[in-house]
Amino acid sequence: MDEIEYVWSVLGGDAALTTRVARAARPEVLEARLPVRALASACVGACALAAAELAARRAAPGGVPAVRVDDGAVAAAFTSERHLRIGGREPVSFAPLSRLWRTADGWVRTHANYPHHRARLLAALGLARDTEDARAVDAVGSLLAGLPARSVEETVYAAGGAAVALRTPEEWAASEQGRAVAGRPLVERGVLDASPARTFAPVPPSAGALLPAAGLRVLDLTRVIAGPVATRTLALLGADVLRVDPPGLPELPDQHVDTGFGKRSATLDLTCDQAAFEELLGAADVVVTGYRPGSLDRFGLSPRALAARRPGLVVARLSAWGAYGPWAGRRGFDSLVQVGTGIAALEGTADRPGALPAQALDHGTGYLLAAGVLRALTEQSRHGGSRYVEVALARTAAWLSAGPAPDGASGAGRPHGVGGSSTMGTGSGAHRVCAAGDAGGPGDAGDAGGPGASPWLRERESPLGRLRYALPPVRFEGGPTDWERAPGPWGADAARWV
């Protein structure tokens, strides 16, 4: 079973449809010890096939359109933040305190891109939150050098910050959270009630590109990368996507630009504007959440609570560590999950942890989530029922970390590992070692996607200035090739449907 067949089976798709997918392999991109390129192409390919399937259900009587996955387009999209230019300016990437630190007994990774996480990290270590960056780096480095890594992890987490100690794959697999993650499917799906089958308005094939999500309203309650990648993809496919954030918790500006294509952005305080939210929910078809499991439950935003108020809804949820196990409530980001699950150890050397050539857990999980939503919509049109879809960065990491089969092996008996198929090669074996502030993250945009990245980039004007950006990799015959809407300022739109 190759990777796209595996992902498609996890999504509940008809195995016969995978013959509609063709792949242009480019071994020179996303090189790593782990089969990152295989994972990336499989996630994008399954998402494109789910889009093509829904398009056929709505508007393509000739059958499911052909899907083409090009590794070059996939690599550019998985490193989109490195290609982005805003008025000619390179985006701000990882903050000075977001990095690997050597500790008394190993390594720890911190994430402090958001001001509140930076403040909590400094407070946990007894440092003033207004400490200037250069002095903070020196002070944190000196403190952590004398502390055990797992002690730092627990102290920072207890203070509301984000830090994870380096673990080997074996240590992660033996941990309670590692075992909990390993026991779950790559994409969790289910039916919440017996709502009637969804009836779609037809999408005329003559009305331009096939847009399988046209007419659907998606309420986007996600942040950072994976969730916004999923909703950005749904916007590409024609959905009206409204991203809603708390007014006191703004997104990082450049990150908002990179993942904001096709969407509108509004702010809403759920603690005092519940009526406004209920009005949005009453007309929504899909709700996507990306906050820590349980953190939105007090607002009535669990899948069952949402479906009870809006029967026929699709609820999609993303988390870092999974909605189960002792780490279910912990904060997490791609770079932290790489360190905690053993990926950084696998990609590094004896002297220093490494990193993947892209934030592949974020991007891959985002496309898996979008694919799950699209398949849920197709299944609703046949069988009805409010539905839920759940994914986790740590579960995607487990799939990747299962590793490739040896060269020439068939991959038989490895349904949960990437790279077991000769058609989805594993790269050259090159790896990338983290520098002090690196997360397998931003580098020079000219080489971020590997050779030949430029065909997958485009420029356009926007309310934020002239943008250079990576084109979407989700492609099928007759489908869209770019977003209709450029991103605008964060929170500038009204919290209502068009």
Side-chain angles (χ1 to χ4, degrees):
M1 177 185 294
D2 78 13
E3 287 74 17
I4 192 167
E5 290 173 346
Y6 167 61
V7 175
W8 191 242
S9 70
V10 168
L11 292 168
D14 178 358
L17 292 183
T18 58
T19 61
R20 303 298 295 157
V21 182
R23 179 182 177 214
R26 301 181 188 272
E28 70 276 10
V29 302
L30 297 179
E31 292 181 309
R33 285 178 174 158
L34 291 171
V36 176
R37 189 173 72 258
L39 175 144
S41 292
C43 293
V44 170
C47 184
L49 184 56
E53 178 191 39
L54 183 57
R57 183 74 177 163
R58 298 189 66 183
V64 174
V67 169
R68 178 176 172 80
V69 183
D70 192 304
D71 285 356
V74 171
F78 268 57
T79 53
S80 60
E81 67 278 5
R82 303 183 210 172
H83 296 293
L84 182 67
R85 295 292 182 272
I86 306 169
R89 174 183 63 81
E90 292 188 27
V92 176
S93 54
F94 285 92
L97 295 181
S98 293
R99 62 174 62 203
L100 279 161
W101 308 88
R102 192 181 289 277
T103 65
D105 60 353
W107 296 86
V108 70
R109 171 82 202 186
T110 56
H111 194 285
N113 285 4
Y114 288 100
H116 57 291
H117 288 158
R118 180 186 188 277
R120 292 167 185 171
L121 170 65
L122 293 175
L125 299 175
L127 300 172
R129 68 171 59 198
D130 59 354
T131 304
E132 185 266 333
D133 280 338
R135 289 193 297 113
V137 168
D138 290 340
V140 171
S142 297
L143 284 168
L144 297 189
L147 298 172
R150 297 204 187 183
S151 172
V152 174
E153 175 183 278
E154 293 302 324
T155 299
V156 174
Y157 168 69
V164 173
L166 178 71
R167 287 167 174 80
T168 66
E170 294 77 19
E171 289 170 333
W172 172 251
S175 70
E176 188 175 350
Q177 187 64 30
R179 291 193 302 270
V181 168
R184 297 291 188 140
L186 180 63
V187 180
E188 300 189 53
R189 308 159 53 249
V191 180
L192 296 167
D193 59 28
S195 300
R198 178 181 291 274
T199 301
F200 288 112
V203 179
S206 59
L210 286 172
L211 298 173
L216 298 175
R217 289 170 168 170
V218 177
L219 195 53
D220 179 1
L221 307 178
T222 69
R223 295 177 65 78
V224 198
I225 297 177
V229 163
T231 52
R232 183 181 68 182
T233 302
L234 297 174
L236 168 75
L237 299 171
D240 177 11
V241 178
L242 178 63
R243 173 166 166 170
V244 176
D245 287 281
L249 196 64
E251 182 60 281
L252 300 173
D254 294 347
Q255 195 162 266
H256 165 71
V257 174
D258 183 43
T259 59
F261 283 87
K263 311 177 196 179
R264 292 177 296 119
S265 170
T267 61
L268 193 65
D269 188 345
L270 294 184
T271 62
C272 58
D273 291 334
Q274 190 70 34
F277 178 82
E278 293 301 318
E279 185 175 349
L280 289 173
L281 175 63
D285 299 285
V286 179
V287 175
V288 186
T289 67
Y291 291 78
R292 287 178 297 123
S295 62
L296 297 179
D297 289 1
R298 69 185 188 277
F299 299 114
L301 300 183
S302 70
R304 290 196 179 277
L306 288 166
R309 305 201 304 282
R310 174 64 168 160
L313 195 67
V314 173
V315 183
R317 297 203 301 177
L318 161 81
S319 63
W321 304 105
Y324 35 76
W327 284 21
R330 293 205 173 192
R331 297 165 182 82
F333 300 88
D334 184 304
S335 58
L336 300 185
V337 176
Q338 287 191 42
V339 168
T341 60
I343 288 175
L346 285 170
E347 290 291 333
T349 67
D351 298 323
R352 189 174 186 87
L356 300 176
Q359 294 189 77
L361 305 181
D362 263 333
H363 287 272
T365 306
Y367 289 109
L368 288 176
L369 189 60
V373 169
L374 295 165
R375 288 247 58 249
L377 291 166
T378 296
E379 291 183 342
Q380 276 188 331
S381 71
R382 294 176 175 141
H383 310 297
S386 301
R387 293 173 182 263
Y388 71 88
V389 181
E390 293 193 11
V391 293
L393 301 187
R395 187 61 191 86
T396 304
W399 176 42
L400 176 64
S401 297
D407 290 344
S410 68
R414 300 180 58 81
H416 300 296
V418 187
S421 165
S422 60
T423 64
M424 301 285 277
T426 64
S428 69
H431 65 281
R432 192 161 182 268
V433 178
C434 282
D438 194 18
D444 179 74
D447 65 6
S454 58
W456 315 112
L457 306 181
R458 182 163 294 176
E459 293 193 10
R460 72 193 296 177
E461 296 298 333
S462 82
L464 302 170
R466 187 164 184 81
L467 303 180
R468 188 187 78 175
Y469 59 99
L471 288 166
V474 172
R475 300 287 181 94
F476 60 92
E477 186 177 6
T481 59
D482 198 357
W483 293 276
E484 182 177 333
R485 177 188 178 101
W490 178 85
D493 296 295
R496 63 171 181 264
W497 298 114
V498 173

